[in-house]
Amino acid sequence: MIEALGRLDGEGLFGRYREGLLNAVLFITAPDADDTETMEDRSARLLNRPEVCRIY
């Protein structure tokens, strides 16, 4: 899922929403998983700029 979101972002799918620092944060979540927070944090770090992750 992370790779797919990264590709879509690279193709500009989220471009108009990701122009500003605070407009959108991409991440993966699975609320029923045992490691939900870890999954969200890892995917956010891989899919967003560092300054976005500091705020997220």
Side-chain angles (χ1 to χ4, degrees):
M1 288 189 286
I2 293 170
E3 185 177 326
L5 272 178
R7 281 191 210 164
L8 292 170
D9 188 34
E11 293 173 6
L13 181 66
F14 307 107
R16 66 184 177 150
Y17 300 106
R18 296 196 14 106
E19 289 172 3
L21 178 62
L22 300 175
N23 290 341
V25 177
L26 295 180
F27 65 96
I28 303 296
T29 189
D32 295 347
D34 292 335
D35 61 347
T36 299
E37 188 173 333
T38 300
M39 179 189 311
E40 291 173 351
D41 291 344
R42 180 175 180 270
S43 64
R45 282 194 310 274
L46 292 170
L47 292 167
N48 299 280
R49 298 185 315 258
E51 56 269 19
V52 172
C53 290
R54 281 192 295 276
I55 294 168
Y56 165 75

